[in-house]
Amino acid sequence: YTVEITGLTSMGEGVARVSDFVLLIPFTAPGDKVIVRVWRILKQHAKADVVRLVESSSDRVEPKCPLFGECGGCQLQHLSIETQREWKRKHVIETLKRLAGIQTIYVHPIIGGDLAYGYRSKLTPHYDTPNEEADIGPIGFRTQRMRILDVPHCPIATDEINTALPFVREQARENAKLAVKNYRDDPNHARKPRGATLLLRHHQNGVTTNHKEIISETLKLHSTKKELTFHFQAGDFWQNNPQVLPMLVEYVISQARASSARFLIDLYCGGGLFALSSAWAFEQVVGLEISETNVQSARANARTNNITNAKFEAGRAEDLFANIVDSFPGSASAVVLDPPRAGCSPDFLCQLLDFGPQSIVYVSCDPATQARDAAIILADSRYSISKISPFDLFPQTRHIENVITFVSSSSAASPFSE
């Protein structure tokens, strides 16, 4: 089929139509004319690959990675960074309209850094179970059809990670051979060799591959001239774009402070990033997090930075929130909400709305689940949206970090301020 690409899906795939049937075609751009081959037909649409590019979109640029178009790690290298960011902004708008029912909406231009490549401070290549010859095959990332593609160099990763990558790959092959030998020699006691995911985490002291190693990052907040040091296990969650992270943190702090709240509750707080960075602006901050190791890190980070007005509790947010709300009046509190990709449960959002904070600053890596949760929050007539601002922490990929600030009717912030 020869088709014209008319848009992009939330996964970054090009959209085209043959009669009334929708085709999804990765690595294409709106305005492209392409010859495609359909490889999978589903109920609502079909998936197709590009056979030949007939006419290029004006938004196209040359990808920097020779594996782009095969590797599933990046979806947008063929688009200029300006086009990528405008598409991400429009995706936030369309998602909120479709899933939250918000028809009149202003989303601020996406905030990003200068680095379109070489920004990513964490890489997690995969490899499969060793074969009979103890060979693990390619080490890299999955393609559209889920096979692992060998990736010896990744242009979006930092130079330090790419320098370490050849040694880590060779070490993985040698370790697999040793594991196969040990299993053959003693199958009753040795662990059966399996595929695995490697870790390369670039931090301020170098690159580590050990998930449990305690590493350090220093966060410099330019607007307040504050500098904080965070220690955490290399395998724990930490945002992977060191250039844009301070911008995100400063923005979240400014939004939480805007309601003049005295207390801050940081839900899904990780190692205490938002809670500790904003502790200077509140009488008391509290962080809730399901990961015990993250909570231990948050408490240690508070001590490291001489922060005495922050406390952290481990457990499900739904369970812990009920225990702390008596200590903080909702009318004097701001909430930072940074849940995992799945978002929040309806029951928890009801708990949060019953608490009635002055503001809710909702940070999300998935605009779809965020929009779903926004619909629940906005169903409470006390709350409106004061600001929506996406961040480009993941250039060359479809991923978006979006921040929505909800304010109660008693807050001085005006809805949809520009």
Side-chain angles (χ1 to χ4, degrees):
Y1 300 101
T2 301
V3 297
E4 181 172 354
I5 306 301
T6 58
L8 296 177
T9 70
S10 62
M11 302 297 287
E13 297 171 306
V15 179
R17 289 182 179 272
V18 175
S19 298
D20 290 329
F21 203 69
V22 175
L23 298 182
L24 302 183
I25 309 157
F27 312 117
T28 56
D32 280 348
K33 288 185 179 178
V34 290
I35 298 174
V36 301
R37 179 184 296 113
V38 174
W39 63 272
R40 189 178 183 189
I41 298 176
L42 302 168
K43 189 173 183 180
Q44 301 293 332
H45 63 271
K47 291 184 174 290
D49 289 331
V50 174
V51 175
R52 183 161 62 89
L53 180 63
V54 177
E55 185 176 318
S56 294
S57 164
S58 59
D59 293 326
R60 266 193 176 268
V61 296
E62 190 65 27
K64 286 194 175 182
C65 181
L67 299 176
F68 181 74
E70 293 182 86
C71 178
C74 292
Q75 299 79 39
L76 305 177
Q77 282 191 31
H78 59 304
L79 299 178
S80 69
I81 192 65
E82 296 80 13
T83 300
Q84 290 180 36
R85 289 175 176 170
E86 183 54 25
W87 169 74
K88 291 180 180 185
R89 177 178 175 271
K90 287 180 179 177
H91 173 55
V92 170
I93 294 171
E94 292 166 0
T95 302
L96 286 168
K97 285 182 177 180
R98 179 168 49 90
L99 297 179
I102 305 171
Q103 298 308 312
T104 303
I105 188 169
Y106 179 78
V107 173
H108 284 254
I110 195 165
I111 297 170
D114 298 329
L115 293 177
Y117 289 90
Y119 66 86
R120 189 174 177 88
S121 60
K122 178 185 176 184
L123 213 61
T124 53
H126 316 292
Y127 61 85
D128 279 332
T129 300
N131 61 19
E132 290 297 319
E133 287 75 39
D135 181 16
I136 57 177
I139 303 173
F141 303 101
R142 297 197 180 276
T143 66
Q144 293 284 316
R145 303 191 193 186
M146 300 309 293
R147 68 178 179 86
I148 294 177
L149 178 73
D150 197 57
V151 180
H153 180 273
C154 180
I156 67 171
T158 64
D159 290 343
E160 289 81 355
I161 284 179
N162 279 311
T163 298
L165 189 55
F167 172 76
V168 173
R169 285 161 51 87
E170 183 58 32
Q171 189 176 51
R173 296 190 189 282
E174 293 303 317
N175 289 344
K177 290 177 183 177
L178 180 60
V180 169
K181 179 181 183 303
N182 290 341
Y183 183 71
R184 286 173 177 168
D185 291 345
D186 189 2
N188 293 323
H189 296 94
R191 180 179 295 178
K192 186 175 182 179
R194 291 185 174 86
T197 297
L198 303 172
L199 170 70
L200 292 93
R201 169 81 81 171
H202 179 202
H203 54 99
Q204 65 185 33
N205 297 317
V207 176
T208 185
T209 59
N210 182 353
H211 286 73
K212 295 189 179 300
E213 181 178 337
I214 302 299
I215 61 173
S216 301
E217 291 285 4
T218 298
L219 183 70
K220 297 179 181 179
L221 303 178
H222 302 291
S223 63
T224 60
K225 307 243 185 308
K226 292 186 180 294
E227 188 172 298
L228 291 90
T229 299
F230 291 87
H231 306 293
F232 54 94
Q233 286 190 358
D236 283 344
F237 176 78
W238 183 263
Q239 287 288 4
N240 301 323
N241 190 325
Q243 185 187 32
V244 182
L245 180 59
M247 304 177 197
L248 173 65
V249 172
E250 290 187 302
Y251 177 81
V252 169
I253 294 171
S254 71
Q255 292 298 292
R257 292 184 66 208
S259 63
S260 301
R262 294 162 48 209
F263 308 105
L264 178 76
I265 302 171
D266 184 3
L267 301 172
Y268 310 95
C269 70
L273 176 64
F274 293 124
L276 296 175
S277 299
S278 60
W280 63 271
F282 297 91
E283 293 179 22
Q284 182 78 38
V285 299
V286 60
L288 307 183
E289 166 62 42
I290 196 167
S291 166
E292 180 65 44
T293 59
N294 271 333
V295 168
Q296 291 173 1
S297 295
R299 290 169 178 164
N301 291 331
R303 293 191 294 271
T304 297
N305 293 284
N306 298 314
I307 294 172
T308 58
N309 64 331
K311 65 178 183 178
F312 298 92
E313 301 292 340
R316 293 173 68 247
E318 294 88 334
D319 299 332
L320 295 174
F321 192 67
N323 297 328
I324 68 163
V325 294
D326 292 338
S327 304
F328 300 92
S331 59
S333 300
V335 168
V336 172
L337 198 57
D338 188 10
R341 185 174 297 276
C344 302
S345 71
D347 288 346
F348 173 66
L349 290 174
C350 287
Q351 274 186 293
L352 179 60
L353 294 170
D354 286 343
F355 176 56
Q358 273 288 297
S359 64
I360 303 167
V361 185
Y362 192 145
V363 185
S364 175
C365 61
D366 188 337
T369 56
Q370 186 186 44
R372 178 203 66 200
D373 293 347
I376 295 174
I377 296 171
L378 294 173
D380 186 318
S381 60
R382 293 172 299 169
Y383 287 93
S384 59
I385 293 175
S386 68
K387 199 167 184 180
I388 305 171
S389 186
F391 286 76
D392 192 15
L393 274 81
F394 317 104
Q396 316 309 331
T397 80
R398 65 179 178 83
H399 298 290
I400 310 167
E401 198 82 5
N402 192 49
V403 185
I404 302 179
T405 305
F406 302 89
V407 294
S408 73
S409 55
S410 59
S411 172
S414 59
F416 293 102
S417 59
E418 298 186 17

